[in-house]
Amino acid sequence: MPSATDPSATEPPAPDPSGLWIAGAGGVGREALDTALAPGVPVAGFLDDRQHGATVRGLPVRRPAELEPGARYLVGIADPAVRQRLAALLDGLGAEPVTLVHPRALIAPETLLGPGCLVMGGAYVSSSVRLGAHSQVHYNATVGHDAVFGERVTVYPGGNVSGAVLLADGATVGSNAVVLQGRKIGAGAFIGAAAVVTRDIPPGAVVVGSPARPLRGA
């Protein structure tokens, strides 16, 4: 394992054409690259329409539509709707989503991660958890026992999802937010940073504060 002062801890190796393609060359995409570098997963480059033709962290950037059938990919974008669109495009091209887990993340027994999941360093995912396809658990976030995630769920850094919580498709838990035991979070709901969720949240709601309440005007 490279040390913090080892250049290989921050600089990617030469592009590997047979390696993983990361869709999204922004902040989460680069954090996905960090997650891949830690266990030595070969990375071919990034897929990003806005930055195609450029180089990011020493790796080439291509258009997502240029990906070849059979290539492996991971969507490194926080927005669940964009994640859904890109995954559908890449699946339609015959590419294969892969799950990426940092070696300093902890995944407990009897937990299942769907295809395309991203679990960053310092995250803890407890026993008997189910993460749906293309879900993300960011660094230092925790997920309690028996929690169930739909597809494209996001838990931002420091988020705390308690046991037996259900997060439907596209739900997001903000940085340092807490979702208490057994709560149900509807599809597309957004839990603001540092909010404390004490009751179920309906689909599409944006809630903030402690206890979490709907954002005025949302």
Side-chain angles (χ1 to χ4, degrees), residues 50-71:
R50 294 184 177 181
Q51 300 192 54
H52 72 94
T55 300
V56 173
R57 295 275 298 273
L59 296 171
V61 184
R62 299 171 56 189
R63 294 185 185 274
E66 297 173 349
L67 194 62
E68 298 84 0

Side-chain angles (χ1 to χ4, degrees), residues 8-203:
S8 67
T10 56
E11 295 300 324
D16 183 339
S18 64
L20 176 70
W21 286 92
I22 298 172
V28 175
R30 297 193 305 273
E31 290 177 335
L33 173 61
D34 296 338
T35 303
L37 291 177
V41 174
V43 176
F46 293 96
L47 304 170
D48 194 306
D49 282 321
R50 294 184 177 181
Q51 300 192 54
H52 72 94
T55 300
V56 173
R57 295 275 298 273
L59 296 171
V61 184
R62 299 171 56 189
R63 294 185 185 274
E66 297 173 349
L67 194 62
E68 298 84 0
R72 302 183 308 130
Y73 78 89
L74 180 134
V75 182
I77 293 176
D79 187 319
V82 178
R83 212 180 308 163
Q84 181 179 28
R85 178 178 61 79
L86 277 173
L89 170 65
L90 298 173
D91 289 345
L93 294 173
E96 176 187 356
V98 300
T99 289
L100 194 58
V101 178
H102 195 285
R104 292 185 181 175
L106 295 177
I107 308 295
E110 297 184 345
T111 284
L112 296 179
L113 277 60
C117 286
L118 173 63
V119 182
M120 297 184 188
Y124 176 72
V125 182
S126 190
S127 301
S128 304
V129 171
R130 302 291 182 269
L131 300 188
H134 303 289
S135 290
Q136 298 177 355
V137 182
H138 288 213
Y139 49 88
N140 298 328
T142 59
V143 180
H145 63 85
D146 300 296
V148 177
F149 287 19
E151 296 186 356
R152 303 175 307 280
V153 170
T154 309
V155 183
Y156 277 121
N160 184 335
V161 176
S162 300
V165 167
L166 172 62
L167 289 125
D169 292 353
T172 298
V173 178
S175 298
N176 295 316
V178 177
V179 182
L180 296 187
Q181 178 99 1
R183 298 301 91 204
K184 294 179 175 61
I185 310 302
F190 191 97
I191 312 302
V196 178
V197 175
T198 60
R199 62 184 68 185
D200 295 349
I201 304 299

